[in-house]
Amino acid sequence: MMQKRVYDYIKRWDMIRPHMKILVGLSGGADSVALLQLLWEYGKEYGIQLYALHVNHGIRGAEARRDQDFCKQFCEERGIPLQVVCEDVPERAIKEGISIEEAGRRVRYEAFEREFLEHEIERGALAHHQNDQAETMLFHLMRGTGLRGIRGMEPVRGPYIRPLLCVTRAEIEAWLREKKLAWVEDSTNQELDYTRNRIRHQVLASMEEIRPGCAARMARTAERLKEAEDYLEEELKKWWEKSVHERRDGYAISLEKFEEMHLVMRKKTVLRCLEGLLGEGIGSRAVYVEQICALSKGHRGSRITLPEDCFAVLGYEELLLKRGYGKKTAEEPVICAPGGEYYYMGADFCLTLEKSEKIGKIVVKRYTKWFDYDKIRTNVVLRTRRPGDYLEITGGIHKKLKDYLIDCKVPREERDQCILLADGSHVIWVTGMRISERYKVTEQTKRILKVQMRENGGTKDGETSY
């Protein structure tokens, strides 16, 4: 019996619990009428509060009004609150440059979200069935997809549930006739201008003629694929914790760990990062995943341009997926004097001048440095790098700043964002890194300039080597 199969399916996937508030999408078609009737009867036993939502897409004129009136009467007979939303979907499609199908989908989900908030709804029930599942799988397969796409729709995804994924359209209509329940037909379902209609009438219908029952078998395949995908998701969690570092501007994947992964897990890791940057719609653009996996084998500093001003960059030890590529505008240089506090590029700098005899042993710290003030020839300036910048290393040798940053494996797109303390072209300190040998405090030093960078806490400053 179809009704028992649906109820067992609801329990199997833990879709509904007693006393929940459920919102059902009601178009007036056979699928949504059957879903609302089934949940209405189910709710009598489990104390469920049912609400219905009907969206008039502003496409079919009098026929759309007929559907709206049908839904109103159906709900009134059962005491189910109905919210009707009227939208001009064709106009929105033109305005946003998308298909009517996509515009309609957005309108429906936005309507669901509003009702969720207004009535504190816990679940939104959608009437997709096994034929819809088969159409979705074919649509994704024709477009090109991975395992996630070909598995089709999920029984439960966030607040949305699909209790009818266990039955076919034919079974639904047969059950409605048995119950002597009416429904309305949407004439646009027969039009071949819509992609899904063409798949339904020209592809899936032919498949059913060749192999009857194929839609149901494809739906069962989707369930098996979901089981495999769920297992891979659990494995991804393990790899994610030890190989991916989330940054303010994106993600950094350890190249060492990336190499240890199976290719499938590499692709899933990259895809998860892309979804974090660009949203889940990126899942259909598998080409980016392939390109980024190939990038990991390329030359350091290589990059791939992604949508929405995002980039994939191959660093020395990490694969970066990030927003922007060294495009942050540097601030104007700041001339500093002892006794002052200065804010530059997101960090606070405190400069104090002290006599050498009052300073004990110089402790090596990363964000606090001491310099021989009398060796500074011009002004102490906070700035970013310029052509001709250099440091003095052991033995009095001058080293170009660019070469030093390359040796330290600083990614190309981050070099222009390094904060420098400079004396003309001579870099006194690459903040967070090393100081020039020339300005080190010695036994002959009389005046000491102490510079503390407070972005990282100052007093919590850790020790590091030069």
Side-chain angles (χ1 to χ4, degrees), residues 30-266:
D31 315 330
S32 62
V33 167
L35 177 60
L36 187 58
Q37 180 70 23
L38 283 163
L39 294 185
W40 181 61
E41 295 182 18
Y42 189 81
K44 292 177 182 178
E45 181 178 354
Y46 294 99
I48 295 166
Q49 296 183 57
L50 270 187
Y51 297 80
L53 171 67
H54 176 79
V55 178
N56 186 328
H57 295 76
I59 296 177
R60 295 176 290 120
E63 186 180 282
R65 182 66 191 182
R66 176 209 67 184
D67 295 353
Q68 183 176 319
D69 291 341
F70 172 85
C71 293
K72 183 178 180 181
Q73 181 180 348
F74 189 89
C75 290
E76 285 178 349
E77 291 172 354
R78 291 158 180 78
I80 300 171
L82 172 69
Q83 176 64 40
V84 176
V85 174
C86 297
E87 288 273 357
D88 191 334
V89 171
E91 181 180 342
R92 177 162 179 175
I94 294 172
K95 184 178 179 180
E96 298 184 10
I98 55 179
S99 68
I100 290 180
E101 290 173 286
E102 175 60 19
R105 188 189 70 83
R106 292 184 184 181
V107 165
R108 291 191 296 274
Y109 277 101
E110 288 169 5
F112 264 97
E113 295 298 326
R114 288 194 297 269
E115 291 298 298
F116 285 166
L117 292 174
E118 183 173 347
H119 299 291
E120 299 182 340
I121 302 292
E122 297 166 87
R123 290 283 190 271
L126 307 174
H128 299 111
H129 46 70
Q130 289 184 340
N131 295 73
D132 294 321
Q133 182 74 296
E135 291 164 16
T136 299
M137 295 171 71
L138 289 171
F139 178 72
H140 288 170
L141 189 60
M142 290 163 62
R143 185 177 57 180
T145 186
L147 183 58
R148 186 187 300 180
I150 201 172
R151 78 181 181 190
M153 297 174 285
E154 298 180 69
V156 179
R157 184 170 178 80
Y160 294 99
I161 59 175
R162 295 180 171 89
L164 300 184
L165 282 183
C166 60
V167 294
T168 65
R169 179 183 291 111
E171 289 176 302
I172 291 170
E173 293 181 0
W175 182 79
L176 288 172
R177 292 189 187 98
E178 181 184 328
K179 299 278 288 187
K180 294 181 172 53
L181 292 172
W183 68 89
V184 291
E185 294 285 354
D186 183 344
S187 61
T188 61
N189 286 337
Q190 304 302 316
E191 297 175 4
L192 299 182
D193 294 336
Y194 300 104
T195 303
R196 284 189 173 272
N197 285 355
R198 296 181 67 184
I199 294 174
R200 180 179 309 147
H201 298 299
Q202 297 182 332
V203 180
L204 191 56
S206 297
M207 292 172 62
E208 285 286 352
E209 289 180 7
I210 297 170
R211 187 75 173 178
C214 66
R217 286 190 293 273
M218 289 176 67
R220 289 193 290 272
T221 297
E223 288 195 18
R224 290 193 289 271
L225 291 173
K226 184 184 184 307
E227 292 172 355
E229 178 71 5
D230 288 345
Y231 169 76
L232 292 174
E233 285 295 316
E234 290 300 315
E235 289 298 301
L236 175 60
K237 289 179 184 178
K238 299 174 186 176
W239 279 106
W240 185 272
E241 291 176 359
K242 58 186 177 183
S243 62
V244 180
H245 171 63
E246 296 188 33
R247 306 164 17 136
R248 285 184 299 177
D249 60 349
Y251 303 89
I253 306 172
S254 164
L255 285 174
E256 180 182 359
K257 296 297 183 183
F258 199 66
E259 287 297 316
E260 293 177 10
M261 296 179 191
H262 187 281
L263 179 59
V264 170
M265 202 51 56
R266 289 183 203 167

Side-chain angles (χ1 to χ4, degrees), residues 267-285:
K267 291 181 178 181
K268 289 189 69 64
T269 300
V270 169
L271 181 58
R272 176 65 58 81
C273 292
L274 287 174
E275 289 173 344
L277 284 175
L278 305 172
E280 292 196 4
I282 191 68
S284 63
R285 293 175 244 175

Side-chain angles (χ1 to χ4, degrees), residues 378-394:
T378 58
N379 294 313
V380 176
V381 179
L382 281 167
R383 62 173 176 81
T384 53
R385 67 173 182 160
R386 296 173 177 170
D389 282 346
Y390 68 93
L391 301 99
E392 187 176 294
I393 59 176
T394 305

